[in-house]
Amino acid sequence: MLTELKREAYEANLLLPKYGLINLTFGNASALDRARGIFAIKPSGVDYTVLKAKDMVLVDLEGKKIEGKLNPSSDTPTHRRLYLGFEKVGGIVHTHSSHATSFAQAGRAVPIFGTTHADYFYGEIPVTRKMTKQEISNGAYEWETGNVILERFKKLDPLDCPAVLVNRHAPFTWGLTVAKAVEVAVAAECCAHMALMSLQLVPKLGEIEPELLNKHFKRKHGPGAYYGQKK
Amino acid sequence: MLTELKREAYEANLLLPKYGLINLTFGNASALDRARGIFAIKPSGVDYTVLKAKDMVLVDLEGKKIEGKLNPSSDTPTHRRLYLGFEKVGGIVHTHSSHATSFAQAGRAVPIFGTTHADYFYGEIPVTRKMTKQEISNGAYEWETGNVILERFKKLDPLDCPAVLVNRHAPFTWGLTVAKAVEVAVAAECCAHMALMSLQLVPKLGEIEPELLNKHFKRKHGPGAYYGQKK
Amino acid sequence: MLTELKREAYEANLLLPKYGLINLTFGNASALDRARGIFAIKPSGVDYTVLKAKDMVLVDLEGKKIEGKLNPSSDTPTHRRLYLGFEKVGGIVHTHSSHATSFAQAGRAVPIFGTTHADYFYGEIPVTRKMTKQEISNGAYEWETGNVILERFKKLDPLDCPAVLVNRHAPFTWGLTVAKAVEVAVAAECCAHMALMSLQLVPKLGEIEPELLNKHFKRKHGPGAYYGQKK
Amino acid sequence: MLTELKREAYEANLLLPKYGLINLTFGNASALDRARGIFAIKPSGVDYTVLKAKDMVLVDLEGKKIEGKLNPSSDTPTHRRLYLGFEKVGGIVHTHSSHATSFAQAGRAVPIFGTTHADYFYGEIPVTRKMTKQEISNGAYEWETGNVILERFKKLDPLDCPAVLVNRHAPFTWGLTVAKAVEVAVAAECCAHMALMSLQLVPKLGEIEPELLNKHFKRKHGPGAYYGQKK
């Protein structure tokens, strides 16, 4: 069932260690078939070296397991919450990539210092507030993780800023497809790394000028985009 | 004799350079058969590229070499001391992995800043006190290294915190099996790297909130664990 | 047409990810046939893993596409502007390599601290001024990027200093051939990395002494050069 | 002639990029046959990917080329000066490895903070004084480089401390054999990396205690050594 969706999710999961975004089994990717309301997600705690496409678990947007012998990722409720809240998103990636996670642990957004960042994100990579004791302990921790992300995006367009840092935790990224969400995860890690180094060079460095941000983001996104090839 | 134990220790040793935890010949892994009171350990100073499973040296918990043509690791008495002091531990790993060792050299524990750390360790990765002149020079230096580790763990459960930094030296990690001790060594290095960067971002960063630590550690350990697959 | 030129440009482009200078599709290389006034450049946004020599796009120095099914790199006008302004240059490389880009984002030149740097650059790697709103938004942003580079080089010989950091953006490098421009891109990244670390060790570190700069640069460049083999 | 010596030097040279100690063509290794007074050294500026054992150049201790079609490394007079000054040394390695070179550029010795360092060096990795204008410009720059190294070692045993940082330049390492000199080059880079990070954690960190230095160095060197296997 939904073999192609499982293959998409599987291939995205395999790219995470390939791009150096994953240590051990920290991280997961999922792909959504929005028409059917079903997504394919990595099984929990399975080593990437033994993972197979058929191991992907199918879950519906009510949280019911539809197919799969294995338990889905423990982060499944976060993915589900985001799919419900971000209506255009078709793929989600969660990693503990080192540099982005270092910002998340420190509770700091990744400031937007240059055009590399502006090519992918229309502003800083935001960080959520810390979760409350209640949210952590009410038995729906991973669902609440999705809620604090949505709270942070009340005034943000998730496709203008396709990444977030969960405070004390790590990044989530997304996109129209899971392949795009993987690409954004690479970009977020790379921008976090460079932001950290730019801060070492100029500790009070200001953010990129608005006109340059506009130029680079819109070179790649929206009706005036001219980067890349026509599809 | 004990071919399977030697194979386990051998494979764990090979993972150390594979995961980038080892430069040159710094480091070693051992696996214990507690019923027999015998452990298999890497021979001293042998290059990982020529190491074979049959080179593993068998040593008993009294410190007597049971089998093997080569000298066991010079750190053998530290492993032995830990096996005697930590009664549930079945495997031990010692590396000089760069980031964890940088904390050890500086005499600082690795603070617990995020959930990556909380997934593996129920608190900071502690550092021992410095060893005394007497302990260093009494002819049982490696045994005394084990003693200062045990002293540091008087009030700590070694399975809640399966790693330590020996002051001025480097990390030791452990687990129910040597495969688990390798996994912990990867996690310790990764957490040390991210802690260093989080400190660069926020020099006085506080540690993770207790409820989040509890949540993440217990998601993976103990009776309420729900991460991964049923075994 | 110009098969050899396209092959040169293609091979240079492939070296960029191989040397770790490129993440995702950030970056491009071009090679010029100055007699014909035509250069071969990477197509825009094409993944390096699927790139072929025949995908290279031929563009003339008036900016007209001469051959190629794909759109040329969006940075094509910058390459063209530099070829027009730097009359001896035969190849140009643009990357977002992490350390050099971190200096560019911070608006800082890479100071010349040692002989590694002096072997390639006769002074610091300069940074341009920031671009004005007008330059960014007048519809010729990439051409204006070339202009601010040329402005910075009014009093500099581009072969004495074959690299620049575009403020808030990233490095461009060049040389008599595109192969040389790739080599310079590696050197610029490596020197930026080491400069950052030297600054961590001595925050107010002064630049290399003039006689040592002269010695190393001239050991490799100009009539008195004695490094390498006679050609 | 001296095929085995050339092979030794060749294999040592190939290890330098393999261990990540070399970017581009920065660096070289040589092996000495002291009885004959001849050493084999890398040819100047030749790419490691095309280097062959028979390309190694034979030079005698008076500086005369004995065999080889190519020019020897431009650093040949430094190697020669060190072979003449350090009478037990049989192999020399020069790299521009990133972390050690960052200390050299900053004019700082690599402080000895832990046992990893103490396993290889009986104290800090020293840095030379800066070279004078006269030494740089008198036509024998590379020979004078050897002289400032020897000056720094007036009161040091080169086998107790088999590495030096040339101020503003980069490290040289040595040993009884060139294979050992490569191993020391790896250790020097690794210790420089960790020292930089330990300094970030504790900016005024003191050096390792003398008894621990003694213990670790002598565990591996001299009559009381017990690390490794009997030869």
Side-chain angles (χ1 to χ4, degrees):
Chain A
M1 185 181 172
L2 291 174
T3 312
E4 186 47 37
L5 190 72
K6 286 189 277 186
R7 174 152 299 278
E8 251 187 82
Y10 169 68
E11 286 173 358
N13 273 291
L14 287 198
L15 287 174
L16 304 183
K18 189 188 155 195
Y19 285 142
L21 300 174
I22 298 277
N23 277 306
L24 301 168
T25 59
F26 297 126
N28 42 70
S30 73
L32 173 70
D33 181 327
R34 194 167 284 274
R36 286 193 173 81
I38 292 174
F39 59 100
I41 192 164
K42 183 177 177 285
S44 184
V46 174
D47 197 291
Y48 286 94
T49 58
V50 299
L51 197 64
K52 294 191 182 62
K54 67 179 173 56
D55 294 336
M56 295 298 110
V57 184
L58 295 178
V59 180
D60 73 15
L61 287 177
E62 273 82 59
K64 208 176 97 187
K65 183 156 100 173
I66 299 298
E67 189 196 279
K69 292 179 190 163
L70 298 165
N71 298 334
S73 166
S74 56
D75 297 314
T76 298
T78 314
H79 289 243
R80 186 163 75 85
R81 187 71 197 88
L82 294 182
Y83 284 130
L84 290 170
F86 294 157
E87 58 183 20
K88 290 186 186 159
V89 164
I92 295 173
V93 164
H94 172 47
T95 78
H96 286 213
S97 68
S98 301
H99 297 88
T101 302
S102 297
F103 277 85
Q105 292 191 151
R108 282 186 68 167
V110 179
I112 177 164
F113 288 141
T115 64
T116 320
H117 190 128
D119 281 337
Y120 278 88
F121 308 97
Y122 196 53
E124 66 177 19
I125 302 174
V127 64
T128 69
R129 65 164 170 80
K130 288 187 189 172
M131 295 175 71
T132 64
K133 280 190 203 189
Q134 215 274 333
E135 288 164 340
I136 293 167
S137 315
N138 67 4
Y141 166 66
E142 291 83 1
W143 176 261
E144 296 288 3
T145 300
N147 278 332
V148 295
I149 295 173
L150 293 181
E151 183 187 313
R152 184 67 189 80
F153 274 74
K154 263 184 195 161
K155 296 178 184 171
L156 291 173
D157 179 334
L159 293 182
D160 276 359
C161 182
V164 73
L165 305 178
V166 176
N167 207 311
R168 291 295 193 190
H169 189 159
F172 283 81
T173 65
W174 49 78
L176 297 179
T177 62
V178 69
K180 192 70 190 173
V182 172
E183 188 183 332
V184 173
V186 174
E189 173 62 7
C190 165
C191 291
H193 185 190
M194 297 199 301
L196 180 65
M197 293 191 286
S198 291
L199 283 170
Q200 289 171 338
L201 289 166
V202 179
K204 302 201 168 177
L205 185 61
E207 296 208 331
I208 196 172
E209 292 64 33
E211 52 275 13
L212 193 54
L213 165 55
N214 268 312
K215 178 69 192 174
H216 267 264
F217 190 75
K218 294 186 175 164
R219 207 164 81 137
K220 282 197 161 181
H221 303 88
Y226 59 92
Y227 181 94
Q229 307 298 327
K230 283 174 206 130
K231 309 271 163 130
Chain B
M1 186 181 172
L2 292 173
T3 312
E4 187 47 38
L5 190 73
K6 285 189 277 185
R7 173 151 301 278
E8 251 187 81
Y10 169 68
E11 286 173 357
N13 273 291
L14 287 198
L15 288 175
L16 304 182
K18 188 187 155 197
Y19 284 142
L21 300 175
I22 296 276
N23 277 305
L24 301 169
T25 58
F26 297 126
N28 41 71
S30 73
L32 173 70
D33 181 328
R34 195 168 283 275
R36 285 193 175 82
I38 293 174
F39 59 101
I41 191 164
K42 181 175 178 287
S44 183
V46 174
D47 196 291
Y48 286 93
T49 58
V50 299
L51 197 64
K52 294 191 183 63
K54 68 179 172 59
D55 294 337
M56 295 297 111
V57 184
L58 295 178
V59 179
D60 73 15
L61 287 177
E62 271 83 58
K64 208 177 96 187
K65 183 156 99 172
I66 299 299
E67 189 196 278
K69 290 179 193 166
L70 298 165
N71 299 333
S73 165
S74 56
D75 296 314
T76 298
T78 313
H79 289 243
R80 186 163 75 86
R81 188 70 198 88
L82 295 181
Y83 283 131
L84 290 170
F86 294 159
E87 57 184 20
K88 290 185 186 160
V89 164
I92 294 173
V93 164
H94 172 47
T95 79
H96 287 212
S97 68
S98 301
H99 297 88
T101 302
S102 297
F103 276 84
Q105 291 190 152
R108 283 185 68 167
V110 180
I112 178 163
F113 288 140
T115 63
T116 321
H117 190 128
D119 281 337
Y120 278 88
F121 308 98
Y122 196 54
E124 65 176 19
I125 301 175
V127 63
T128 69
R129 64 162 170 82
K130 288 188 189 172
M131 294 175 72
T132 64
K133 280 191 203 187
Q134 215 275 331
E135 287 164 341
I136 292 166
S137 314
N138 67 5
Y141 166 66
E142 291 84 1
W143 176 262
E144 297 289 3
T145 299
N147 278 332
V148 294
I149 295 172
L150 294 181
E151 184 187 313
R152 184 67 189 77
F153 274 74
K154 263 183 197 162
K155 297 178 183 172
L156 292 172
D157 179 334
L159 292 183
D160 276 0
C161 182
V164 73
L165 305 178
V166 175
N167 206 310
R168 291 294 193 190
H169 190 158
F172 282 81
T173 64
W174 48 81
L176 296 179
T177 63
V178 69
K180 193 69 190 175
V182 171
E183 188 184 333
V184 172
V186 174
E189 174 61 8
C190 164
C191 291
H193 185 191
M194 298 199 302
L196 181 64
M197 293 191 286
S198 291
L199 283 169
Q200 289 170 339
L201 290 165
V202 180
K204 300 200 170 180
L205 185 60
E207 295 206 328
I208 196 172
E209 292 64 33
E211 53 275 14
L212 193 55
L213 165 55
N214 268 313
K215 178 68 192 176
H216 267 265
F217 191 75
K218 293 185 176 164
R219 206 163 83 136
K220 282 197 162 182
H221 302 88
Y226 59 93
Y227 181 93
Q229 308 298 326
K230 281 174 208 131
K231 308 272 163 133
Chain C
M1 187 182 172
L2 292 173
T3 312
E4 186 48 37
L5 190 73
K6 286 188 277 187
R7 175 152 298 279
E8 251 186 82
Y10 169 67
E11 286 174 357
N13 273 291
L14 287 199
L15 287 174
L16 303 183
K18 189 187 154 195
Y19 285 142
L21 300 175
I22 298 277
N23 278 306
L24 302 167
T25 59
F26 297 126
N28 41 70
S30 73
L32 173 70
D33 181 328
R34 195 167 283 275
R36 287 190 173 84
I38 293 174
F39 59 100
I41 191 165
K42 183 176 177 287
S44 184
V46 175
D47 198 291
Y48 285 93
T49 58
V50 299
L51 196 63
K52 293 190 183 63
K54 67 179 171 60
D55 295 337
M56 296 297 111
V57 185
L58 294 179
V59 179
D60 73 13
L61 288 177
E62 272 82 60
K64 208 177 99 188
K65 183 155 100 171
I66 299 299
E67 191 197 277
K69 291 179 192 164
L70 299 165
N71 298 335
S73 165
S74 55
D75 296 315
T76 299
T78 314
H79 288 243
R80 186 163 75 85
R81 187 70 197 90
L82 294 182
Y83 283 131
L84 289 170
F86 294 160
E87 57 184 20
K88 289 185 186 159
V89 163
I92 294 174
V93 164
H94 172 48
T95 79
H96 286 213
S97 69
S98 302
H99 297 88
T101 301
S102 298
F103 277 84
Q105 291 191 154
R108 283 185 67 167
V110 180
I112 178 164
F113 288 142
T115 63
T116 320
H117 190 128
D119 281 338
Y120 278 88
F121 308 98
Y122 196 54
E124 65 177 18
I125 301 175
V127 64
T128 69
R129 63 165 171 81
K130 288 187 188 172
M131 294 175 73
T132 64
K133 281 191 200 187
Q134 215 274 332
E135 287 164 342
I136 292 166
S137 315
N138 67 5
Y141 166 66
E142 291 84 0
W143 175 262
E144 297 288 3
T145 300
N147 279 332
V148 296
I149 295 173
L150 293 181
E151 183 186 315
R152 184 66 188 79
F153 274 73
K154 263 184 194 160
K155 295 177 183 172
L156 291 173
D157 179 334
L159 293 182
D160 276 359
C161 182
V164 74
L165 305 177
V166 176
N167 206 311
R168 290 294 193 190
H169 190 158
F172 283 82
T173 64
W174 49 79
L176 296 179
T177 63
V178 69
K180 192 69 190 175
V182 172
E183 188 184 332
V184 173
V186 175
E189 173 62 8
C190 164
C191 291
H193 185 191
M194 298 199 300
L196 181 64
M197 293 192 285
S198 291
L199 282 169
Q200 289 171 339
L201 289 166
V202 179
K204 302 202 170 178
L205 184 61
E207 296 209 332
I208 196 173
E209 291 66 32
E211 53 274 13
L212 193 55
L213 165 54
N214 268 311
K215 179 67 193 175
H216 267 264
F217 191 75
K218 294 188 174 160
R219 207 164 81 137
K220 282 197 161 181
H221 303 87
Y226 58 93
Y227 181 92
Q229 306 299 327
K230 282 176 207 127
K231 308 270 162 132
Chain D
M1 187 182 172
L2 292 173
T3 311
E4 187 46 39
L5 190 73
K6 285 189 277 186
R7 174 152 299 279
E8 251 187 81
Y10 169 69
E11 286 174 356
N13 273 292
L14 287 198
L15 287 174
L16 303 183
K18 189 187 153 195
Y19 285 142
L21 300 175
I22 297 277
N23 278 306
L24 301 168
T25 59
F26 297 127
N28 41 69
S30 72
L32 173 70
D33 181 328
R34 196 167 282 275
R36 286 192 174 82
I38 292 174
F39 60 99
I41 191 163
K42 181 175 178 288
S44 184
V46 174
D47 198 292
Y48 285 94
T49 57
V50 298
L51 197 64
K52 294 190 181 64
K54 68 179 170 61
D55 294 337
M56 295 297 112
V57 185
L58 295 179
V59 179
D60 73 14
L61 287 176
E62 272 82 57
K64 209 176 96 187
K65 183 156 100 172
I66 299 298
E67 191 197 278
K69 291 179 191 165
L70 298 165
N71 299 334
S73 164
S74 56
D75 296 316
T76 298
T78 314
H79 289 243
R80 186 163 76 86
R81 188 70 198 88
L82 294 181
Y83 283 132
L84 290 170
F86 294 159
E87 58 184 20
K88 290 186 187 159
V89 164
I92 294 173
V93 164
H94 172 48
T95 79
H96 285 212
S97 68
S98 301
H99 297 88
T101 302
S102 297
F103 277 84
Q105 291 191 151
R108 282 185 68 167
V110 180
I112 177 163
F113 288 141
T115 63
T116 321
H117 190 129
D119 281 338
Y120 278 88
F121 308 98
Y122 196 54
E124 64 176 20
I125 302 176
V127 63
T128 68
R129 63 164 171 82
K130 288 188 187 171
M131 293 175 72
T132 64
K133 280 190 201 185
Q134 215 274 332
E135 287 164 342
I136 292 167
S137 315
N138 67 5
Y141 166 67
E142 291 83 1
W143 176 262
E144 297 288 3
T145 300
N147 278 332
V148 296
I149 295 173
L150 294 181
E151 184 185 315
R152 184 67 188 79
F153 274 74
K154 263 185 195 160
K155 295 178 184 172
L156 292 172
D157 179 334
L159 293 182
D160 276 0
C161 182
V164 74
L165 305 178
V166 175
N167 207 311
R168 291 294 194 191
H169 189 157
F172 283 82
T173 65
W174 48 79
L176 296 179
T177 63
V178 69
K180 193 68 191 175
V182 171
E183 187 184 334
V184 173
V186 174
E189 174 62 8
C190 164
C191 290
H193 185 192
M194 299 200 300
L196 181 65
M197 294 192 286
S198 291
L199 282 169
Q200 288 171 340
L201 289 165
V202 180
K204 301 200 169 178
L205 184 61
E207 296 209 330
I208 196 173
E209 291 65 33
E211 53 274 13
L212 192 56
L213 165 55
N214 268 311
K215 179 67 191 175
H216 267 264
F217 191 75
K218 294 187 176 163
R219 207 163 82 137
K220 282 197 162 183
H221 303 88
Y226 58 93
Y227 181 93
Q229 307 299 326
K230 282 175 206 128
K231 306 272 165 131

